[in-house]
Amino acid sequence: MRDNDLLGSRKRAVRAMVEAAFRKESAPSAGHIVDSVYPEPMQIREYFSGKDWWVLTLKGLYDDYVGDPSACLTFMTSLGMKYYLPAYLLLAVENYYEGDVLTLELSSRMRTYVREDDMYGLSALNDEQKKAVAAAMRFIWQEYGDEEAEEALEILGQCWGKKFSC
């Protein structure tokens, strides 16, 4: 029982940190989420249009989105990525195993998102947001033993500075 209480407490702490860092601001317009005319990006644009990041759920992404929900961030503009990233972080922290590829692969994708800053622009996150990203990755590494989350933390440290690493 105590382990579950501690785990729940740690999840709530990460959630509070992410929510405080990313705040509940209105979703960007559809054209600012995805800027492409290709079919998969257009599906992403249609699904996410008008949706606030904090209302996204695993059930919604798997039941209502017609494509691969784990790939959505990859096709977004840097503004769309920065806006919806907190949802993906919280889904991974709170539903790691239930989320299948969406949550299990987030750490691996984070390595790419941070390394390829010219495409994804995550270096533009403020320090509070970067700390929240690092806290989520640290939780995923420590709680679920996700070695790719540990690697993502190392890359965060290299790209964003040591205060964001392991």
Side-chain angles (χ1 to χ4, degrees), residues 81-126:
M81 156 82 69
K82 287 180 264 189
Y83 184 79
Y84 290 104
L85 178 61
Y88 278 73
L89 293 171
L90 292 178
L91 289 172
V93 165
E94 298 173 349
N95 304 286
Y96 186 77
Y97 296 111
E98 301 85 356
D100 196 29
V101 70
L102 185 148
T103 53
L104 297 174
E105 294 295 319
L106 180 64
S107 301
S108 174
R109 291 178 186 267
M110 282 303 299
R111 296 180 318 191
T112 302
Y113 299 152
V114 173
R115 270 193 193 129
E116 296 184 20
D117 192 62
D118 57 325
M119 179 177 276
Y120 299 108
L122 290 183
S123 66
L125 295 174
N126 65 40

